Amino acid sequence: IASTLNTADYGIGDYTCEMTNAKFPGVQVSTGIITVNKAEQEITGTTAYRLTYEPKKIYLDQTASSGLPLTYTSSRESVCRVEGDSLVIVGAGISYVMAHQSGNDDYFPAELEITVNIEKADEPIFWIEDIETQYGQGPFTINAYTPNGLPVTLSTDYSDKVKIEGNIIYVTGLGNVVIEASHNGNNNYN
């Protein structure tokens, strides 16, 4: 008794199958229905990214077991947005990226949620470290800055020896002084 049916040639659906005996051609032994259903598919790959803020692109490595192409959507484009199969980091925060495969005639749709956690980055302050001046010499300027242009504030605990106005320092007394530069950060920087 023999029966063959290559379902790949036919796709999804119900097919009548007739079984025959090679010794008795033309004699039908049995008839049945073969049902070919859509297959499940799975999306695999990285499910969580934990990064420090830096404007850059990251390749998304997810794939569908069907081999069909994926599309992505971001829940918060202020944190990250999708460009093709890359994730573009936009700002600090948490976003959920959904990998979608819509399915086709042979496969059911599939989804995978990807958590993207972008933490604030540290923002350094640059300026001249040691300044020597003399009492009565007049004010001097400290040009402190950050690479991303955050406003820098100068302060001191030695207000009896210096007066600070913006980035201009007035010497009002004798002795060593420590001047601190700081910034408040923003949505992306500590």
Side-chain angles (χ1 to χ4, degrees):
I1 295 178
S3 174
T4 60
L5 175 63
N6 185 350
T7 57
D9 294 338
Y10 297 97
I12 304 302
D14 292 330
Y15 300 95
T16 301
C17 178
E18 294 182 356
M19 291 185 246
T20 59
N21 188 324
K23 290 186 179 184
F24 303 101
V27 176
Q28 181 178 337
V29 176
S30 179
T31 301
I33 301 290
I34 295 177
T35 301
V36 179
N37 294 316
K38 283 187 173 190
E40 296 288 337
Q41 63 175 322
E42 181 181 15
I43 298 174
T44 58
T46 304
T47 58
Y49 294 91
R50 186 178 194 94
L51 306 165
T52 300
Y53 173 72
E54 176 185 358
K56 65 179 178 179
K57 281 187 180 183
I58 298 169
Y59 172 73
L60 293 166
D61 65 357
Q62 295 72 26
T63 57
S65 59
S66 63
L68 296 171
L70 300 177
T71 59
Y72 298 89
T73 55
S74 173
S75 67
R76 288 187 60 210
E77 291 197 347
S78 62
V79 175
C80 61
R81 69 177 189 278
V82 177
E83 287 183 6
D85 60 358
S86 293
L87 195 61
V88 179
I89 305 305
V90 178
I94 296 176
S95 180
Y96 299 96
V97 173
M98 192 64 71
H100 307 274
Q101 205 312 300
S102 57
N104 63 12
D105 290 342
D106 298 324
Y107 291 94
F108 287 110
E111 291 186 331
L112 176 69
E113 185 177 80
I114 304 159
T115 303
V116 180
N117 184 354
I118 308 299
E119 296 176 347
K120 287 184 175 186
D122 291 331
E123 179 74 335
I125 297 174
F126 298 104
W127 66 313
I128 298 171
E129 293 180 19
D130 295 321
I131 298 172
E132 288 188 31
T133 188
Q134 293 181 359
Y135 182 73
Q137 195 172 25
F140 60 93
T141 302
I142 294 179
N143 292 313
Y145 64 94
T146 69
N148 290 290
L150 297 178
V152 175
T153 301
L154 302 177
S155 61
T156 186
D157 290 334
Y158 299 88
S159 58
D160 59 327
K161 297 177 185 171
V162 294
K163 177 181 170 187
I164 300 174
E165 291 181 2
N167 66 340
I168 300 173
I169 313 300
Y170 298 90
V171 178
T172 58
L174 300 175
N176 293 326
V177 174
V178 175
I179 297 173
E180 183 178 304
S182 63
H183 65 75
N184 291 329
N186 63 16
N187 291 339
N188 298 323
Y189 296 101
N190 292 316

